[in-house]
C-alpha cells in the first residue's frame, strides 16, 4: 500500500527535489510587485526544461499550468494567469513539482510580496513554515503517521493567537505519499483526528510530502467555479509550506531543500541524512 523506496530510488527523488528547489528559488525571486502569476508559471516551465525535467502538475486531473499560485485568501490550487498582478503586501503560495526519471518531487513555499504586511500575516507564514519543520522532525523510525500530524498541530496550537483569535488548520487538504506518482498513500492530516487511528509505522524508504496550510480564521474552504481554486470560507488569508521528505536508514532527508534540511533540522536537534547526490 505504501510504496517503499530503495536508496537508489531516493537518490533519483533527490534529483527531482533539487529541480523543485531551483523552481522555488527562481519564482520566489520573481514574485515582486507588478509580476503576474503567469510570469511565475513561465519561469517554472523554463527551469524544468533547462533541467530536462517534466512537469507533474500540468495536465494532472486537467490542471492547466506548471505550478499553483495561491494569493492571499486562496489556500491552494490557484491557477496562474495574466490578470493576477502581485502587489506589495500580498502573500503568495508557490506550489511546484518536477519529474526526473519517473520520480516525483513536490514542494510549496509562501512568499511575502514587497513590503507592508501586517505583523500577523508575516507571523502566519512563519508559524506555518515552522509547523512544517516540526512535522519533518517527527518523521523518524518508530513513529507513526499520526506523530507527524500531532507535531504540526501541536506547534501551531502552542503559538500566541493572532488578533483574529485563531489559526485555522485547513481540514480538507493535507500531505501525501510521493514517489513513482505525485499523490500516493498515505494521506497525511495536519491535525490529529482520533477516528482515523495512528496510521502506518514510519520505516526507511517511506517518502511523504508534508504540507501544512493555515489560515487566520476558519479551517473550512470551498472550491471556485474554475474547479481548482480553493479559498477560505471566511476570506481570511492563508499560508502554505511543503517539502517532500524521505525517511532513510540515517534519518530524514528533505528532498526539496537545497541542503537536504540539514540546517533547519539541526535547530530542532535532528540530524538530516547525508545527501546521496552530494
Ligand atoms: Mg503536495
Amino acid at each position: 500500500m505504501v510504496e517503499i523506496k530503495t536508496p537508489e530510488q531516493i537518490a533519483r527523488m533527490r534529483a527531482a527535489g533539487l529541480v523543485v528547489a531551483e523552481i522555488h528559488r527562481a519564482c520566489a525571486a520573481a514574485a515582486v510587485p507588478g509580476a503576474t502569476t503567469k510570469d511565475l508559471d513561465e519561469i517554472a516551465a523554463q527551469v524544468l526544461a533547462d533541467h530536462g525535467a517534466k512537469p507533474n502538475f500540468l495536465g494532472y486531473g486537467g490542471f492547466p499550468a506548471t505550478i499553483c499560485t495561491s494569493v492571499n485568501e486562496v489556500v491552494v490550487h490557484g491557477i496562474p494567469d495574466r490578470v493576477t498582478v502581485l502587489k506589495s503586501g500580498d502573500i503568495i503560495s508557490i506550489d511546484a513539482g518536477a519529474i526526473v526519471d519517473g520520480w516525483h518531487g513536490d514542494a510549496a513555499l509562501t512568499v511575502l510580496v514587497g513590503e507592508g504586511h501586517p505583523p500577523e500575516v508575516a507571523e502566519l507564514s512563519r508559524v506555518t513554515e515552522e509547523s512544517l519543520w516540526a512535522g519533518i522532525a517527527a518523521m523518524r523510525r518508530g513513529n507513526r503517521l499520526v506523530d507527524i500530524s500531532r507535531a504540526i498541530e501541536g506547534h501551531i496550537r502552542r503559538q500566541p493567537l493572532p488578533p483574529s483569535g485563531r489559526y485555522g488548520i485547513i481540514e480538507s487538504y493535507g500531505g501525501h505519499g510521493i514517489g513513482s506518482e505525485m499523490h500516493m498513500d498515505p494521506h497525511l492530516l495536519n491535525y490529529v483526528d482520533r477516528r482515523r487511528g495512528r496510521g502506518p509505522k514510519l520505516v526507511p524508504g517511506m517518502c511523504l510530502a508534508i504540507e501544512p496550510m493555515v489560515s487566520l480564521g476558519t479551517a473550512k474552504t470551498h472550491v471556485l467555479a474554475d474547479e481548482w481554486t480553493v479559498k477560505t470560507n471566511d476570506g481570511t488569508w492563508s499560508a502554505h509550506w511543503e517539502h517532500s521528505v524521505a525517511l532513510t536508514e540515517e534519518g530524514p532527508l528533505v528532498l526539496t531543500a537545497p541542503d537536504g534540511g540539514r540546517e533547519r533540522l539541526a535547530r530542532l536537534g535532528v540530524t538530516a541524512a547525508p545527501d546521496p547526490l552530494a
Side-chain angles (χ1 to χ4, degrees), residues 95 106 176 183 209 211 242:
D95 194 346
D106 179 14
H176 49 92
H183 291 135
E211 50 178 321
E242 176 181 22

Side-chain angles (χ1 to χ4, degrees), residues 226-248:
D226 64 17
E227 297 184 350
W228 285 105
T229 307
V230 175
K231 284 193 179 182
T232 54
N233 281 0
D234 60 3
T236 53
W237 290 15
S238 71
H240 176 211
W241 286 85
E242 176 181 22
H243 274 302
S244 295
V245 187
L247 181 56
T248 78

Side-chain angles (χ1 to χ4, degrees), residues 12 15 24 37-38 43 50 59 61 74 92 105 136 148 154 171 174 201 242 266 276:
R12 289 199 230 163
H24 277 155
T37 49
K38 184 71 178 172
I43 289 167
D50 290 347
V74 178
I92 179 173
I136 295 170
I148 300 174
E171 289 175 354
K201 244 183 203 162
E242 176 181 22

Side-chain angles (χ1 to χ4, degrees), residues 164-193:
S164 62
R166 63 172 166 159
Y167 284 123
I169 302 176
I170 302 301
E171 289 175 354
S172 296
Y173 302 88
H176 49 92
I178 184 167
S180 60
E181 293 175 51
M182 177 165 60
H183 291 135
M184 307 183 81
D185 282 341
H187 182 67
L188 171 62
L189 294 173
N190 290 311
Y191 57 94
V192 176
D193 180 345

